Amino acid sequence: MRQAAEARNISSIVLDKAKFPRFKPCAGWVTPQVLRWVGEEVDNYPHGLTEFTSFDVSLNGFKFKLPTHQYSIRRFEFDDWLLQLAEPQFYMYDVREIRQENGEYVVDDEFSAHYLVGAGGTHCPVYQTFFSQISPKGQGAMIVAQEENSNSITRMPAASCGSLRINCPGMPGMFPKGTAMSMWAWVVLPGN
Ligand SMILES: Cc1cc2nc3c(=O)[nH]c(=O)nc-3n(C[C@H](O)[C@H](O)[C@H](O)COP(=O)(O)OP(=O)(O)OC[C@H]3O[C@@H](n4cnc5c(N)ncnc54)[C@H](O)[C@@H]3O)c2cc1C
């Protein structure tokens, strides 16, 4: 990954206010395309990487198995591993202000770059500065998520790994991973 960036003459830095590995509730679903982008290093991934071949879908009481070919990881582990793999200059830094100046993005008068990539989550300063006005996040819905460690869940059969249940006005789901289980629920708030 680092060699690929160097070959393209790309130098990058990463700013994050958290020290990695950092807490990150997420279903942890990654597509085969993501793993192809990471490259062959993924063969030596030191944490749990669960492959699953179907989703158990329940839609308004109608249940069926949806064949698929996907993977799941724990973001707590995967993000930290990616960071170590890419070896960028990492700064533990709390971004306060971003502005555009002379064709560059300037962060707090401390950092500048031609290109800026934001994580895009709720608290992402890139999203807050450039996208919150043109693409506001919905006010009428909320996602709650929990990731649990458990030895017993590793005994789940791989074929039933993915599980989605769609039952308006919300969507609960769960994803087993090597040593953990992610559970989440997307909920439409009353009145919306
Ligand atoms: C329940 C749930 C399930 C999901 N499932 C999936 C899934 O299966 N697959 C998938 O790909 N995505 C999934 N997502 C989406 C994914 O988890 C992220 O929400 C999305 O990718 C953006 O998150 P992020 O970590 O990139 O950003 P954020 O959650 O916003 O975090 C970005 C980073 O920015 C840092 N940060 C925040 N503020 C500052 C600041 N001022 N200065 C410096 N650093 C800062 C934080 O420390 C954090 O490390 C899911 C999300 C939820 C809520």
Side-chain angles (χ1 to χ4, degrees), residues 2-174:
R2 179 175 51 83
Q3 291 89 334
E6 281 172 3
R8 290 168 178 78
N9 211 14
I10 298 171
S11 79
S12 59
I13 63 169
V14 173
L15 307 180
D16 201 299
K17 67 180 180 184
K19 183 171 184 282
F20 281 65
R22 54 94 169 87
F23 175 69
K24 174 66 190 168
C26 174
W29 176 358
V30 288
T31 62
Q33 177 73 59
V34 170
L35 298 188
R36 277 197 292 275
W37 281 333
V38 173
E40 61 194 23
E41 284 98 336
V42 85
D43 295 339
N44 301 317
Y45 186 60
H47 309 290
L49 179 70
T50 305
E51 183 176 6
F52 53 93
T53 52
S54 66
F55 284 120
D56 291 331
V57 182
S58 169
L59 188 60
N60 291 334
F62 179 63
K63 295 182 181 177
F64 60 97
K65 212 173 258 301
L66 186 66
T68 188
H69 176 214
Q70 301 291 326
Y71 298 88
S72 65
I73 45 77
R74 298 182 70 190
R75 289 281 300 271
F76 171 79
E77 297 166 344
F78 191 67
D79 293 0
D80 184 50
W81 179 75
L82 280 182
L83 201 57
Q84 290 177 33
L85 203 63
E87 293 183 79
Q89 276 183 280
F90 177 82
Y91 296 88
M92 208 172 118
Y93 183 83
D94 190 349
V95 174
R96 292 178 301 279
E97 186 220 38
I98 308 172
R99 65 175 193 278
Q100 280 181 287
E101 197 175 279
N102 303 326
E104 296 219 308
Y105 294 96
V106 180
V107 175
D108 293 338
D109 288 319
E110 297 278 348
F111 306 94
S112 66
H114 284 299
Y115 299 99
L116 178 70
V117 179
T122 309
H123 305 292
C124 171
V126 177
Y127 166 76
Q128 297 288 352
T129 307
F130 298 108
F131 299 102
S132 58
Q133 296 289 324
I134 56 172
S135 181
K137 293 188 190 290
Q139 299 296 311
M142 180 175 71
I143 298 181
V144 288
Q146 176 81 28
E147 189 175 81
E148 285 292 338
N149 286 312
S150 166
N151 292 332
S152 59
I153 57 173
T154 60
R155 292 198 287 271
M156 280 190 70
S160 63
C161 271
S163 173
L164 281 178
R165 281 198 285 139
I166 303 165
N167 188 8
C168 288
M171 187 183 89
M174 57 186 188

